[in-house]
Amino acid sequence: MANMPLSQTLVDLIEDAPGDRTAIVLPEDGAKVTYDSLRRQVQAVADHLAGVGIRRGDRVAMALPNGLPTIVGFLGAAVAGTAAPLNPGYREEEFKFYLQDTDAKVLMLPPQGAEDARRAAGDRMPVVSISSDADGTLHLGGDASAGTASAPSADDIALVLHTSGSTGRPKRVPLKHGNLAVSVRNVVDTYGLSPDDVSLCVMPLFHVHGLVASLLATLASGGTVVVPAKFNALGFWRTVRDHDVTWYSAVPTMHQMLVARAKGGEQPDAGRLRFIRSCSAALSPETMALMEQAFGVPVLEAYGMTEASHQMASNPLPPGSRKAGSVGPGTGVRIGIMDAEGRLLAPGEHGEIVIQGPNVIEGYENNPEANAASFSNGWFRTGDQGFLDDRGYLTLVARIKELINRGGEKISPREIDELLLTHPQVAEAVAFGVAHRMWGEEVAAAVVLREDATCTEADLLAFCRERMAGFKCPKTIHLTQTIPRTATGKIQRRVVAAAYAGQPA
Ligand code: AMP
């Protein structure tokens, strides 16, 4: 399976639906975009990018909120070159890193705002402004002579994203058109998506969860995707009913926000909803039960990661049985459990989750150490720990890789240590995750100040907020004389985390 030739591109995925069908609905504007219009506008963006000199493999960075410009910009960039979507919430220093690391040749931004991204681009690269009006027509700014982008092939890199590494430096993940197309097909098959389906996209479109599951799987099945600018628990069920939404995918934090409102007395009418998908962080069996009770539809937990072009496993729709606490069987992806020596383990035995399939990357870009550590005997090591049961259902039990999963957003604690250590009054810093009711995990840090230091916790929090996207910033900083250590005197994050949680490590 790992060596199956890749055959499809993102262009192929959106090619078949009848031209007059609605592909995208922008609920705030009331705009509807047909498949015909989508295909034309994607080619127009690709041609525009070709006009500014973008060639196959050139990276087109973008920092855009969810909306039509993001979708068409992403697809157009993947046709002309390689799309490199970035979190629009990053601060200037973060944008500088990502633009440089991806070697971006151009940056797509909204016509107004996005000041941090604009400053980071400076005069190092042209900025193409991209916006849309209320009838779903896209507008592109910037100088471009007429260009023509040729069709990509399945082996071309459509998308580069970053994943948090165990060092402060994120790893660059190149996803080919063919990898993405396979993953999209797996999602379509798992949930039997059809042209009758309407998905509600509440996940950000700079991450594989939103791009592959909510957006591309819907477009590939000829359905309609409803794309609000952001998740809003308040108007959520009205949007579901107004647009005849049949399913949505989200992180557990969003599901919990909806459950909290339902518990407050607002029992929603779920309209045509036929299932809810949860992915990117652990869904507790309690939340799953409360959701099924309150919303009256099956809740299917899935398991995804960027390096697998998103989905690896999912609980099936009825009549298949779903197992609370498990992420279900592999979905077109082979899943094994491996020990530290590279041996595959039997059902029930705990070890590292490893995967194989044409959706999985062949390697990180420009990172031989990460590649050597991540592949064993033809399997990709996920850095997650778990076990398979006799039916092939996978359960995650822990993480080997060092990251904080805050409501599905992955944060490298090292990156926070490194930022805190650049503060002139900080001598030692260790960031760690703490359990949080709504986010799953939240970021905290322990800091030892230099002698005679005068700064306070609030000063350090403000220092982080100026230099880092809000979701990564520690919410608590413990100023201390010494960092808690293991019995042998080593600093280990889990020991530090346990000391502040008042628990044994
Ligand atoms: P990302 O690359 O941002 O999609 O993050 C991938 C990681 O998210 C996985 O390696 C897991 O650690 C975590 N993850 C994804 N889905 C789940 C899930 N259903 N339960 C627990 N963790 C998950």
Side-chain angles (χ1 to χ4, degrees):
M1 186 156 60
N3 299 322
M4 219 166 69
L6 300 172
S7 60
Q8 279 199 311
T9 69
L10 300 187
V11 179
D12 300 326
L13 294 185
I14 61 168
E15 201 172 60
D16 291 340
D20 58 355
R21 277 195 69 87
T22 302
I24 300 165
V25 174
L26 292 314
E28 284 98 353
D29 297 347
K32 290 190 173 162
V33 179
T34 62
Y35 274 90
D36 217 11
S37 163
L38 174 67
R39 291 188 282 252
R40 265 188 295 108
Q41 301 205 71
V42 166
Q43 190 58 45
V45 169
D47 289 344
H48 186 95
L49 290 170
V52 292
I54 295 300
R55 299 287 170 266
R56 188 76 53 230
D58 285 347
R59 272 85 216 266
V60 179
M62 44 213 291
L64 299 162
N66 277 15
L68 189 63
T70 318
I71 297 171
V72 181
F74 157 67
L75 288 167
V79 171
T82 296
L86 301 174
N87 184 337
Y90 284 147
R91 307 310 304 259
E92 183 177 342
E93 287 305 312
E94 294 170 299
F95 278 121
K96 272 192 187 146
F97 168 82
Y98 287 111
L99 292 175
Q100 197 180 10
D101 191 63
T102 47
D103 190 22
K105 296 283 184 284
V106 59
L107 172 63
M108 290 173 117
L109 292 179
Q112 266 96 42
E115 298 309 334
D116 281 68
R118 221 175 284 280
R119 275 198 303 276
D123 48 19
R124 283 180 282 277
M125 68 197 68
V127 169
V128 170
S129 73
I130 181 165
S131 57
S132 64
D133 60 25
D135 70 2
T137 307
L138 216 65
H139 299 281
L140 290 161
D143 299 329
S145 45
T148 311
S150 58
S153 76
D155 276 316
D156 290 325
I157 298 168
L159 172 66
V160 286
L161 292 170
H162 285 82
T163 53
S164 309
S166 51
T167 65
R169 214 185 102 219
K171 293 177 282 189
R172 207 161 64 230
V173 183
L175 297 171
K176 295 178 177 177
H177 277 269
N179 299 138
L180 289 164
V182 167
S183 188
V184 166
R185 293 286 174 212
N186 289 341
V187 175
V188 172
D189 292 347
T190 305
Y191 308 111
L193 300 181
S194 80
D196 286 338
D197 277 305
V198 179
S199 73
L200 178 55
C201 174
V202 288
M203 291 301 298
L205 289 168
F206 50 79
H207 185 268
V208 276
H209 184 160
L211 282 173
V212 171
S214 307
L215 176 69
L216 294 173
T218 305
L219 297 179
S221 51
T224 301
V225 56
V226 179
V227 189
K230 55 167 71 144
F231 172 73
N232 170 9
L234 215 63
F236 186 86
W237 294 108
R238 187 159 27 83
T239 309
V240 166
R241 284 189 301 274
D242 286 356
H243 298 283
D244 287 331
V245 168
T246 61
W247 69 284
Y248 75 91
S249 187
V251 291
T253 301
M254 292 173 179
H255 299 311
Q256 273 178 280
M257 290 179 181
L258 294 170
V259 165
R261 289 191 60 79
K263 276 204 290 195
E266 186 202 339
Q267 197 74 12
D269 164 5
R272 276 186 71 215
L273 210 64
R274 63 182 183 94
F275 71 96
I276 297 172
R277 179 177 185 269
S278 184
C279 195
S280 299
L283 179 72
S284 74
E286 299 78 60
T287 304
M288 178 176 158
L290 286 171
M291 288 168 71
E292 295 206 344
Q293 207 177 17
F295 312 145
V297 292
V299 172
L300 310 176
E301 181 170 9
Y303 172 45
M305 80 185 296
T306 308
E307 291 89 330
S309 313
H310 190 47
Q311 186 167 288
M312 297 173 277
S314 175
N315 280 279
L317 276 168
S321 59
R322 52 196 185 281
K323 181 174 167 187
S326 158
V327 295
T331 48
V333 178
R334 270 183 76 194
I335 297 185
I337 304 293
M338 199 175 257
D339 69 9
E341 282 71 49
R343 279 185 301 259
L344 289 174
L345 301 174
E349 292 186 303
H350 290 208
E352 181 166 4
I353 301 166
V354 292
I355 53 166
Q356 279 184 348
N359 55 313
V360 183
I361 54 164
E362 276 162 27
Y364 297 101
E365 269 185 4
N366 201 17
N367 198 335
E369 309 85 58
N371 288 336
S374 300
F375 292 89
S376 290
N377 308 328
W379 294 85
F380 175 78
R381 308 188 82 115
T382 61
D384 295 312
Q385 275 180 323
F387 65 92
L388 289 164
D389 71 10
D390 291 334
R391 294 184 303 160
Y393 277 53
L394 176 68
T395 300
L396 274 69
V397 291
R399 264 194 315 260
I400 303 165
K401 56 191 171 194
E402 199 171 65
L403 55 80
I404 300 168
N405 188 342
R406 181 182 185 271
E409 300 253 33
K410 313 305 182 307
I411 302 160
S412 158
R414 277 280 190 103
E415 192 183 336
I416 301 164
D417 301 352
E418 285 168 17
L419 176 65
L420 284 167
L421 287 168
T422 63
H423 190 287
Q425 297 188 20
V426 171
E428 285 184 84
V430 180
F432 53 91
V434 288
H436 189 275
R437 195 179 52 82
M438 212 49 151
W439 294 106
E441 288 178 272
E442 185 52 282
V443 187
V447 166
V448 178
L449 294 177
R450 292 188 190 285
E451 251 174 71
D452 305 326
T454 51
C455 77
T456 62
E457 180 193 350
D459 295 335
L460 290 177
L461 293 173
F463 177 83
C464 291
R465 276 196 296 271
E466 267 168 38
R467 292 164 179 81
M468 230 175 207
F471 73 92
K472 289 187 205 166
C473 290
K475 300 303 166 306
T476 320
I477 293 183
H478 303 275
L479 295 180
T480 172
Q481 300 298 321
T482 48
I483 304 262
R485 285 162 204 266
T486 62
T488 55
K490 287 206 196 104
I491 291 183
Q492 265 183 14
R493 270 180 228 286
R494 84 186 151 73
V495 174
V496 182
Y500 287 100
Q503 289 162 1

